[in-house]
Amino acid sequence: MRDNLKANDILALGFMTFAFFLGAGNLIFPPQAGLLAGEHMFSGMLGFLITAVGLPLIGIIAIAVSGGCWKGLTRDLPVSVATLMAVLIFIIIGPAFAAPRAGLVAYEMGFKPFLSDESELELVLFSISFFTIVMFLSLFEGKLIDTIGKLLTPILFVSLSILAISVIVNPLGDIGAAQGTYIDQAFTTGFLEGYNTMDTLAALMFGMLIVDVIRKKGINSDAQTCRYLILAGVIAAVGLTIVYVSLFYLGATASTVAIGATNGGSILSSYVTVLFGSTGQIVLSTIIILACLTTVIGLVSACADYFSILSDKFNYHQWVVILSIASAVVSNVGLTQLIAVSIPVLFCLYPVAIALIALTFLRSFMPNPILTYRVVLGVSLMFTLIDAAKVGGVDMSMFSGLPLFNYGMVWLVPTLIAMIVMRFVDPKKCQSSYA
């Protein structure tokens, strides 16, 4: 039995975790947010970093202190509710939204620019090729540190470092004026924009996968596993922060370069082309394809690992094949349609995940954990449905008097109130078997 990992294994574990998180949304949303935030870049970026870096890191820590598994994190919830919640999150970050979206971004920004004549056939062929590679690399679960942490991520990190240094040393313009809701609500707009990365949801699932990877390296001590999981999260958080800061600054200084750009991908592509000339697209394509590839490998592996434990009908390897095929099929729907559908779903699940993470650290202060979890998460879900319906285009003006309605955070105040109330619930009325 091994008690410790070598320094290079710890670094590789952190790089692997960083690569898992750094996917499609992490590259296309910050430039767009930076362009819109403009002169309010710092407050917008702070809000974004909280939900796109801070919450995922806290999520990793929550998994670590809960024993490295979903069952420990949700032990005060009914098993059926905890299972349903996990399945929904895995479907969203897996074959329904996140994995196909990453494949589409890899095609749109990494492959499509080199095509002289685009057709639907090219997308089909690319999807098949991309997810075949994902499937092949995901099958070797025990080799994830070596494959991603020691091979793919260093290439990705070097490419991103070249871009980040170039943006900071040679910005292509001055910081522009703020636009839209970033004029008056820069912090909250950036906070909500961070939802789009899906990383808080992914953290709850990647945490379990990373625990399995650590244990496959021979670490069986719970304390050491917890320590290495937190170290991996910290390394990933530092890397993500560097990437986001540079991409926000890229967007904020891109007003004269990316004229007419409608999304973060176009902004990034235009900026890199001007910075690096004819080789710019090659640099960008390398970054995009590697980032999307490593993330989808992590998503497929995490989903397959959970579903193989949940049901013995299919084993891990069979689930990898099923999920890879499903993701390839869904990726042919189109990027715009996937993003449009995913945003309301994210607004619905993100606050519940945030509340669950918060309760993990507050549990010891609650006299009645079982009742607390059910009430707080129920309140969070009930009020976040209002925000989800609003971003989905439903007229919810009848609730405009609720706190933070205009900021898309109706759930926050009721959830906090529920936590405070449950702190003073009489434990004798509903004794927790876990107290």
Side-chain angles (χ1 to χ4, degrees), residues 367-368 424-432:
N368 202 323
F424 300 100
V425 168
D426 184 358
K428 294 180 181 179
K429 292 184 178 181
C430 184
Q431 185 67 32
S432 169

Side-chain angles (χ1 to χ4, degrees), residues 36-198:
L36 295 176
E39 58 192 331
H40 297 158
M41 177 187 71
F42 291 105
S43 55
M45 183 168 59
L46 179 60
F48 185 89
L49 290 176
I50 288 175
T51 46
V53 177
L55 287 178
L57 175 58
I58 295 173
I60 288 286
I61 296 173
I63 287 289
V65 300
S66 298
C69 64
W70 179 256
K71 184 177 180 180
L73 193 69
T74 60
R75 62 188 180 275
D76 292 304
L77 291 173
V79 175
S80 58
V81 173
T83 301
L84 176 61
M85 187 175 177
V87 169
L88 288 175
I89 292 176
F90 272 119
I91 289 174
I92 289 168
I93 69 169
F97 297 121
R101 185 182 71 176
L104 274 168
V105 170
Y107 171 76
E108 293 282 347
M109 297 180 60
F111 185 72
K112 183 178 173 180
F114 298 102
L115 298 177
S116 57
D117 184 23
E118 181 205 358
S119 69
E120 291 185 2
L121 179 60
E122 277 76 15
L123 175 58
V124 172
L125 293 176
F126 179 85
S127 300
I128 293 173
S129 301
F130 182 86
F131 285 101
T132 297
I133 295 173
V134 167
M135 179 177 66
F136 178 76
L137 294 178
S138 298
L139 287 172
F140 301 97
E141 185 184 17
K143 299 293 184 180
L144 285 177
I145 285 183
D146 298 322
T147 303
I148 297 178
K150 296 181 179 180
L151 178 61
L152 297 179
T153 309
I155 301 173
L156 173 61
F157 189 77
V158 169
S159 301
L160 284 168
S161 297
I162 293 172
L163 176 59
I165 293 171
S166 300
V167 168
I168 294 171
V169 172
N170 184 31
L172 299 181
D174 296 325
I175 295 177
Q179 305 174 48
T181 53
Y182 278 99
I183 297 175
D184 300 315
Q185 303 174 13
F187 176 82
T188 53
T189 302
F191 184 94
L192 296 176
E193 189 71 24
Y195 284 9
N196 289 320
T197 65
M198 302 190 189

Side-chain angles (χ1 to χ4, degrees), residues 116 206 253 337 362 378:
S116 57
F206 283 157
T253 57
Q337 291 86 343
L362 296 175

